[in-house]
Amino acid sequence: MNQVLASSAGNAVEVREAVQFLTGEYRNPRLYAVTMALCSEMLVLAKLAEDTEQAEAMLNEVLDNGKAAECFGKMVKGLGGPADFVENYDNYLEKAEIIKPVFADAEGIVSAMDTRAIGMAVVGMGGGRRVATDAIDYAVGFDQFIKLGETANQDKPLAMIHARSEAQWQEAANALKAAITVSEEPYTETPCVYRHIRAEDLA
């Protein structure tokens, strides 16, 4: 990926965004585009839709009428979670003690992101494992990410950092600033989905 797919990176922050996507509270355009592309192909392959246009219409219907969110809620309950998770997710998701923005050192256009470095920054905060025995801190991470092509300045942060301490926040801020390139050069937008590769393309 050339940038963060959605708006968040971490455990609780990603689950929160997923629920918001399903309920229509907030749908990041990039996440929507990629989800629609993948799920449309799945429905066509499963012969549940004649083509991707019909599949996308079906997907939008279950998003808009609440069935997708309802299905997710049943999955959570079936796995031993709370029955009202979708309706009251903020009551169940862990929150970090410090939630505040990180700004670029200088104003400019966001021209590149090192998404692996961003992922490793989450790991460095305890939000992922380096070895199988590591414990995971579900509260830490980033959200409200800036997008490629947007201008970073004192009114537009690179992201919000969810940290357990000021020291952890500072370490994550340094890592994030190193992972996001801000320059004076104009940015040329690229598509979320470059190509659909289907069986007939491989024949």
Side-chain angles (χ1 to χ4, degrees):
M1 295 186 296
N2 65 344
Q3 65 177 314
V4 177
L5 176 59
S7 304
S8 53
N11 292 279
V13 289
E14 288 189 27
V15 173
R16 182 177 289 108
E17 184 169 6
V19 175
Q20 291 172 344
F21 183 96
L22 290 171
T23 60
E25 186 177 342
Y26 171 68
R27 290 179 185 148
N28 179 291
R30 294 188 312 283
L31 180 61
Y32 175 82
V34 173
T35 300
M36 287 295 109
L38 289 170
C39 293
S40 294
E41 295 291 344
M42 291 172 65
L43 290 179
V44 173
L45 286 170
K47 302 188 185 307
L48 297 173
E50 292 183 3
D51 52 38
T52 54
E53 290 75 18
Q54 182 188 27
E56 189 165 330
M58 294 166 63
L59 293 166
N60 280 313
E61 182 180 0
V62 295
L63 281 174
D64 294 340
N65 66 19
K67 287 185 178 179
E70 180 184 349
C71 182
F72 179 75
K74 289 178 179 178
M75 290 169 61
V76 172
K77 182 181 178 183
L79 291 168
D84 63 340
F85 181 79
V86 170
E87 296 78 12
N88 299 293
Y89 59 87
D90 256 339
N91 294 338
Y92 299 108
L93 294 173
E94 284 194 54
K95 297 179 181 67
E97 287 78 2
I98 297 170
I99 303 173
K100 65 178 184 177
V102 54
F103 295 92
D105 292 330
E107 181 174 332
I109 298 170
V110 176
S111 58
M113 286 187 187
D114 184 339
T115 53
R116 184 182 187 281
I118 291 172
M120 292 309 297
V122 175
V123 173
M125 298 173 76
R129 295 187 178 96
R130 288 192 172 92
V131 295
T133 54
D134 283 348
I136 292 180
D137 187 339
Y138 298 105
V140 299
F142 309 111
D143 70 353
Q144 299 181 41
F145 266 104
I146 198 167
K147 304 177 186 69
L148 290 179
E150 289 188 327
T151 299
N153 52 39
Q154 289 307 301
D155 296 317
K156 182 67 174 179
L158 299 177
M160 296 290 291
I161 298 177
H162 297 239
R164 292 294 192 181
S165 67
E166 287 291 346
Q168 187 185 66
W169 182 93
Q170 189 61 61
E171 184 177 346
N174 293 339
L176 197 62
K177 287 192 285 185
I180 298 177
T181 302
V182 176
S183 69
E184 297 179 357
E185 298 297 320
Y187 172 74
T188 302
E189 188 173 355
T190 55
C192 288
V193 179
Y194 281 86
R195 183 183 174 194
H196 295 251
I197 301 175
R198 302 185 175 97
E200 56 267 25
D201 299 324
L202 304 175

